[in-house]
């Protein structure tokens, strides 16, 4: 456990690092496939790689939620022909 305290990257095995690279590669290939087969106005962000041990993870941006009135008006449109 001393080695993990000194170097956090040692907390992952070689297999975990390989699996993370495979996952990142699949995400990137899916992204490129979607970009190549969609219209130019598709504003899809490229995937972010899985955080590795020892890297500082990005904090997620705060989400904005719809108000109660916006949700109610959205569902009211289903009842009106």
């Amino acid at each position: 456990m001393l080695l993990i305290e000194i170097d956090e990257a040692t907390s992952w095995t070689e297999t975990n690092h390989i699996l993370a690279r495979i996952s990142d590669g699949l995400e990137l290939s899916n992204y490129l496939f979607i970009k190549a087969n969609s219209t130019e106005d598709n504003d899809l962000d490229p995937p972010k790689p899985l955080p590795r041990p020892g890297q500082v993870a990005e904090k997620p941006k705060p989400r904005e939620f719809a108000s109660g009135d916006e949700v109610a008006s959205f569902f009211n449109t289903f009842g009106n022909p």
Side-chain angles (χ1 to χ4, degrees):
M1 295 299 163
L2 175 65
L3 190 56
I4 292 174
E5 291 298 321
I6 294 171
D7 183 10
E8 190 179 336
T10 59
S11 66
W12 273 22
T13 63
E14 185 177 335
T15 303
N16 290 349
H17 283 283
I18 292 170
L19 288 172
R21 288 189 64 196
I22 290 170
S23 174
D24 292 343
L26 286 172
E27 288 287 328
L28 181 60
S29 66
N30 288 338
Y31 166 78
L32 293 173
F33 179 81
I34 291 169
K35 287 297 275 187
N37 293 297
S38 62
T39 61
E40 290 183 19
D41 61 339
N42 184 350
D43 207 17
L44 187 64
D45 293 330
K48 293 184 172 87
L50 289 174
R52 305 311 199 261
Q55 291 180 338
V56 178
E58 293 182 20
K59 293 183 180 178
K61 296 178 183 175
R63 295 184 180 183
E64 293 183 24
F65 294 101
S67 69
D69 292 334
E70 292 172 327
V71 173
S73 67
F74 173 77
F75 283 111
N76 283 335
T77 60
F78 291 114
N80 298 332

